[in-house]
Amino acid sequence: MTASNRIVLSSDHAAIQLRQTIAGHIAARGWVAVDIGPTTPESTPYPKHGEAAAQLVASGDCRFGIILCGTGQGIMMAANKIKGIRCGVCGDTFSARMIRQHNDANMLSIGVRVVGEGLALDIVDEFLTAQFEGGRHATRVEMIGALEE
């Protein structure tokens, strides 16, 4: 098993069901789902789950990360605090494709209270099939990375 086919998934308590559905969805497409999120409905803070998933991506243990909370915003903000992480919240397939093609995003955040299951799975598919275009976008991604130093 290599990091190139591993995707870490995490969420807060609000998104357990959708996270588990996404884990099965990506596994059916040949990815290894590394689900580190909670399994019980007790309230749990999204920052710790965003950070934990981001650490696995930043370390190279997982190629991508998919994180979820109510809006997708808070958990994304936590993940983006980790050096090397480029995570975007997506509520549509176009944005999911573009954050990979233009921003070389390595994490995707989804709001469980914003999108339904069918759209969430389509967003995941767009994110995972899009390829970074490089070129002028690589210079901009390097500029983002320089902000971390």
Side-chain angles (χ1 to χ4, degrees):
M1 200 174 339
T2 66
S4 65
N5 70 341
R6 291 168 50 90
I7 299 174
V8 62
L9 295 102
S10 197
S11 72
D12 67 1
H13 57 281
I16 293 170
Q17 183 176 356
L18 182 56
R19 187 191 76 238
Q20 292 172 341
T21 298
I22 291 171
H25 180 78
I26 64 173
R29 283 158 172 68
W31 295 92
V32 174
V34 180
D35 189 340
I36 63 168
T39 57
T40 60
E42 290 80 30
S43 181
T44 183
Y46 58 78
K48 78 175 195 175
H49 298 290
E51 177 194 7
Q55 292 288 2
L56 289 176
V57 175
S59 73
D61 189 57
C62 293
R63 180 172 177 191
F64 295 120
I66 300 172
I67 52 179
L68 305 95
C69 69
T71 64
Q73 300 291 344
I75 200 166
M76 176 271 302
M77 290 177 191
N80 277 325
K81 295 294 184 182
I82 305 305
K83 186 175 181 174
I85 296 303
R86 290 174 306 282
C87 182
V89 176
C90 293
D92 61 89
T93 57
F94 176 77
S95 296
R97 184 172 60 253
M98 297 313 290
I99 66 170
R100 285 286 307 126
Q101 289 179 345
H102 289 190
N103 309 117
D104 198 20
N106 49 15
M107 292 187 72
L108 168 67
S109 184
I110 298 173
V112 69
R113 295 182 181 130
V114 178
V115 301
E117 180 181 302
L119 178 55
L121 297 178
D122 289 345
I123 289 168
V124 167
D125 288 343
E126 284 292 325
F127 179 81
L128 295 177
T129 58
Q131 299 293 316
F132 180 51
E133 293 178 351
R136 72 181 192 275
H137 305 295
T139 302
R140 295 168 186 161
V141 170
E142 289 170 11
M143 292 172 74
I144 293 169
L147 295 171
E148 298 174 333
E149 300 180 21

